[in-house]
Amino acid sequence: MMTTTERRKAAAGRVRAAEELVARLRGGFAGVGVVLPSLRIDPVSCAGDEPVALVDLGRCNLDTALRLTEVLEGKEAGHGD
């Protein structure tokens, strides 16, 4: 069984990992011309004794959704390597 200190350290590690992932996603999306303005860690998921640190990709307008779809379809077809 984990102590309170161990649980807090593990939770902090999950939040740090999520922050790093959000930064990587932001950079990756920017590299293909997609900006998701509300990309972030969901603050509610970080509350409590054992946060799960969910990544919130957020909402976007239709132009951004179209660009993201185009990028994903190009990648799927082998054009985004």
Side-chain angles (χ1 to χ4, degrees), residues 32 71 73-81:
V32 293
V71 168
E73 288 171 349
K75 182 79 170 174
E76 187 175 289
H79 299 294
D81 296 331

Side-chain angles (χ1 to χ4, degrees), residues 2-21 41 45-54:
M2 293 177 78
T3 66
T4 301
T5 301
E6 290 170 332
R7 282 196 313 272
R8 286 185 182 150
K9 284 182 182 179
R14 285 191 297 274
V15 172
R16 271 193 306 280
E19 289 170 341
E20 291 170 6
L21 183 55
I41 298 172
S45 71
C46 293
D49 293 334
E50 296 190 33
V52 292
L54 298 174

Side-chain angles (χ1 to χ4, degrees), residues 30-48:
V32 293
V34 175
V35 176
L36 297 177
S38 50
L39 175 63
R40 65 186 181 137
I41 298 172
D42 175 45
V44 175
S45 71
C46 293

